[in-house]
Amino acid sequence: MNNDALQALVEAIARDDFGRTFKHHAYFNRRLRTTGGRYLLGSHDIEVNPKQYEAFGEAALIDIIKHELCHYFLHLDKKGYQHRDADFKALSKRVGAPRFCAPIESYASRANYIYVCTKCHTEYMRIRKVNTSRMRCGKCGGRLKEITKQ
């Protein structure tokens, strides 16, 4: 799928599910890493993560588009467009837009550091490095020790 096909799909979903027209641009953005899509407040454009489409197919892409269109239409109507707002929750429920998209990689595969408690031997996986002189075990309060990831 290319950007033109994505634009046509977004316009069709806006017309069919929302009963309104989408008047801005929708395109793929390969730089998105942790999100399925993004509504840009300034330009009113919608960016979509192509990795979601490649990993989960068109059904996941449609869910992402519905979610971003909820932000789009509510923002243009000057209503609550943020996730915590009642307007957003009601519109999302009405059109069947999910709150989150499925992660492409699991947390375990993304974790770069593994720490173990010296007291209770609980393991903690982390993506970012932890200051072991300040951080303690959440279960027993013991000291953490970094171990090498296999």
Side-chain angles (χ1 to χ4, degrees):
M1 180 176 280
N2 60 11
N3 286 335
D4 294 332
L6 177 67
Q7 180 75 29
L9 181 62
V10 171
E11 290 171 1
I13 291 171
R15 183 180 57 252
D16 299 341
D17 292 340
F18 293 85
R20 299 178 67 179
T21 57
F22 179 73
K23 299 175 184 169
H24 293 86
H25 300 287
Y27 50 89
F28 287 113
N29 183 351
R30 285 214 162 269
R31 290 171 298 160
L32 295 178
R33 304 180 113 220
T34 60
T35 183
R38 178 166 63 180
Y39 165 63
L40 302 171
L41 294 172
S43 64
H44 305 296
D45 292 343
I46 291 177
E47 297 179 338
V48 178
N49 187 343
K51 296 172 208 149
Q52 285 285 327
Y53 175 65
E54 293 161 4
F56 302 111
E58 193 167 339
L61 185 65
I62 290 170
D63 285 344
I64 292 167
I65 292 168
K66 284 182 182 180
H67 178 94
E68 299 309 325
L69 283 173
C70 288
H71 290 296
Y72 173 78
F73 288 123
L74 289 170
H75 181 248
L76 291 179
D77 292 343
K78 294 181 176 34
K79 294 183 179 176
Y81 61 88
Q82 295 180 334
H83 292 129
R84 66 177 178 253
D85 295 327
D87 293 329
F88 182 83
K89 290 177 183 177
L91 183 60
S92 295
K93 192 172 186 175
R94 185 172 65 82
V95 298
R99 183 102 191 262
F100 302 105
C101 62
I104 296 171
E105 294 180 87
S106 68
Y107 189 86
S109 67
R110 292 173 36 216
N112 298 320
Y113 302 97
I114 300 175
Y115 298 92
V116 66
C117 175
T118 56
K119 235 183 194 180
C120 69
H121 306 289
T122 303
E123 283 192 3
Y124 297 96
M125 293 189 295
R126 295 291 178 262
I127 294 173
R128 300 175 103 180
K129 198 169 182 90
V130 170
N131 184 352
T132 55
S133 64
R134 294 184 69 202
M135 301 299 282
R136 296 292 189 124
C137 174
K139 289 186 176 181
C140 70
R143 290 195 164 277
L144 297 177
K145 181 178 145 191
E146 184 179 343
I147 59 174
T148 57
K149 185 176 179 183
Q150 278 82 359

